[in-house]
Amino acid sequence: MTRVFGDRKTILILLLPTLSIYVLLKVIPVAWSLGLSFFQGNTLRGFEFIGLDNFREFLGDSAALNSVWVSVGFAVIVTIAQVTFGYLLALLYVFVLRKGSAFVRTAVFFPMVLPTVAVALLFKSLIAVGENQGPVNDAINAFGGESIEFLASTAGTMTIAVVMTLWSSMGFYAVLLYTGLLDIPEEVVESARMDGATGPRLVGYIIIPLSLPILLSSIIFSLNATLKVFDSLLALNNGGPGTTTAPLTLYMYRTAFEYAEYGYGSTIALALTLLCLVFTLVVFRPSSKRVED
Amino acid sequence: MTTAPAAAPVQLPGPRPQPRPMRRTARRIVRRLPVWLLVTVLLVVMLYPQFWMIMGSFKTQTEFFANPTWALPEQFSLDNYIDAFTRGNVGLNYRNSMLVTLPSVGLIVLAGLAAGYALEVMIWKGRRQVLLFVMGGIMVPGQMILVPLFTAYFKLGITDSLLPMILTYTAMGIPLTTFLMAAYFRAIPREIFEAATVDGCGPLRSFFVIAVPLMKNSMLTIGLIQFFSVFNDLLIALTFTTRPELATIQVGLLSLSDQYGSTQYGALFAAISINIIVLLIVFIFLNKKIMAGLAAGSVKG
């Protein structure tokens, strides 16, 4: 039996296409990109070895450091909001709406499949000011407030970006956490209720500890997705006003493709990769210990 | 939260006293009221923006300025949609998106399926290490490979086609797909493959005759995850779109918004609505699979 399933020819036929695409188009480019971060220039102009200068430049580049803060701030705020709202929704589905939650679950989930560009343009129209004012500012006017030009300020743009991301993806986290909550054995919840744990105490002492693994994977997933935010901030306000809301991804894209600085662009991409790695490890290391206990 | 009746209703023979159940129903309605209010607010927040956008796509330019923003369109004219298709290139963008997405997803699913089989069903030294090596790709952001790939495609002279996008999406989709496929194969009892071998089926034939039909559902689920991530991508499409004729729907939308800006709302609204409506139709038919698939993809990724 093992001889049949150890047949080298079969393994090669089945694995080789995947492995060659992966190595040629992913592993080699990553290594190439690592190498490029020690060079300056681009394909047309030629490359020049500059050692660690790109990394030194990065640390003294205020635009780059601002981008790091935009990425990290966005990731942390959105992750906290996403997982919190997703968890509250999941609790609503399981304990309040119960069997009747299917429609709400679907309606709240749907925006997840919409392209971020479409969602960003939708939100841009919702908050538009001026001749063709969106319903948001109309509502503010109706309550006697002054129209707000959200996209004119950094804080306003970030607020809209956070709300927009939350709007489009909290339903996804809700479904993710909902499936986790469904896995909690009914008897455990019942016996806790018998012992007098209800409402917040039940959630705090029984439900949250039992759904900790899925909560942590949601956090890791959310951090990894939001650290790579690109489409929404580009489509919403083009990283503006100015470049104040440009995340690392957008700064990298501009450096590499608009200013044709391939080497420095690669350095920024490396910084982004390291950031994702560090964030995952920070959440994962202590958590994996706790889950084992 | 606890709706268990405090006092169990005693089933007395004879006519039951009328007011008691009534009062209980009333009390339940009052208790449920905050929940219904919350759900209503939630649904309005989720659905109204999309409804508003779709309604806006039927409005004429004068309606946008003359009528309040929440007003419904005076008549459902399709002019904006025609405009989006004729002047906005939405049709061409859709065609490009499909020409890129379908081959990419097909390649990703087939390659991942074959690799999953080779790494999970086949038995050989070093397969765990190879699986880990491929899984490592899940962590790497797309930005990391853009510059080298752009250079390579340029040198190969294929930048003037949709091929660079297909290749890049395939490479980016493979790590997660291989990992998921291997996990799904792990859930299939080995005995099925061993029985086939006893019956004289070679491992390659076993793959096509046993594994592929068994994995149909998983292929659909993973295919859907990949479909949405490729169809909705902007970064790679933007990088490898060298001419407007190669623009996918996301790139098209982005340039449409720049081009029309604050003047032509109708066509822009129609273009976005086409996105919403098409995906809504797909979603209605496949929503269980999509929700389960996306959830599975993220937990395991």
Side-chain angles (χ1 to χ4, degrees), chain A residues 4-6 11 14 18 22 26 29 33 96 98 110 113 115 122 132-133 135 138 167 176 221 249 253 273 277, chain B residues 1 32 45-46 50 52-53 69 111 114 117 122-124 133-134 137 139 143-144 148 203 232 239 250 265 298:
Chain A
V4 177
F5 286 110
I11 295 168
L14 293 175
T18 309
Y22 178 64
K26 190 120 194 193
S33 184
V96 184
R98 298 198 187 132
F110 174 66
V113 303
L122 168 58
N132 177 36
Q133 187 153 293
D138 260 2
W167 180 83
L176 198 68
F221 185 72
T249 49
Y253 181 84
T273 310
L277 212 65
Chain B
M1 214 168 272
R32 284 299 237 174
V45 168
M46 296 314 295
Q50 299 169 60
W52 176 76
M53 171 75 45
T69 176
Y117 184 87
M122 302 297 285
I123 299 160
W124 46 285
F133 170 64
V134 177
M139 286 289 299
Q143 278 78 9
M144 196 75 188
N232 293 348
T239 309
Q250 310 320 326
Y265 293 107
S298 65

Side-chain angles (χ1 to χ4, degrees), chain A residues 165-245:
Chain A
T165 313
L166 199 59
W167 180 83
S168 65
S169 57
M170 69 178 182
F172 167 74
Y173 287 91
V175 167
L176 198 68
L177 294 161
Y178 168 78
T179 49
L181 286 182
L182 287 183
D183 286 342
I184 296 177
E186 191 70 31
E187 306 88 66
V188 177
V189 179
E190 267 321 301
S191 64
R193 277 211 180 114
M194 297 271 221
D195 292 344
T198 52
R201 281 167 59 94
L202 181 73
V203 172
Y205 289 111
I206 309 291
I207 310 287
I208 291 183
L210 283 176
S211 48
L212 205 57
I214 187 108
L215 265 173
L216 287 167
S217 25
S218 304
I219 291 172
I220 291 173
F221 185 72
S222 173
L223 278 175
N224 265 305
T226 46
L227 276 173
K228 295 176 199 161
V229 61
F230 178 76
D231 326 22
S232 43
L233 286 168
L234 172 62
L236 185 66
N237 204 5
N238 203 12
T243 54
T244 52
T245 62

Side-chain angles (χ1 to χ4, degrees), chain B residues 196-297:
Chain B
T197 313
V198 172
D199 289 344
C201 195
L204 196 59
R205 190 146 166 246
S206 220
F207 172 73
F208 285 109
V209 181
I210 316 264
V212 172
L214 268 178
M215 295 286 281
K216 253 189 202 144
N217 248 325
S218 316
M219 284 160 79
L220 180 65
T221 305
I222 297 174
L224 281 170
I225 305 178
Q226 293 299 341
F227 178 86
F228 285 108
S229 74
V230 174
F231 187 81
N232 293 348
D233 168 81
L234 178 68
L235 175 67
I236 285 149
L238 206 59
T239 309
F240 297 123
T241 301
T242 42
R243 288 181 298 129
E245 295 86 79
L246 297 176
T248 62
I249 188 75
Q250 310 320 326
V251 177
L253 269 184
L254 199 63
S255 55
L256 204 62
S257 84
D258 290 343
Q259 184 188 328
Y260 285 157
S262 54
T263 49
Q264 290 281 329
Y265 293 107
L268 181 62
F269 280 24
I272 302 170
S273 297
I274 295 167
N275 243 313
I276 296 181
I277 295 165
V278 171
L279 290 168
L280 185 63
I281 293 168
V282 176
F283 191 73
I284 286 170
F285 283 108
L286 292 167
N287 87 65
K288 282 219 175 88
K289 276 253 168 331
I290 294 171
M291 282 164 59
L294 286 177

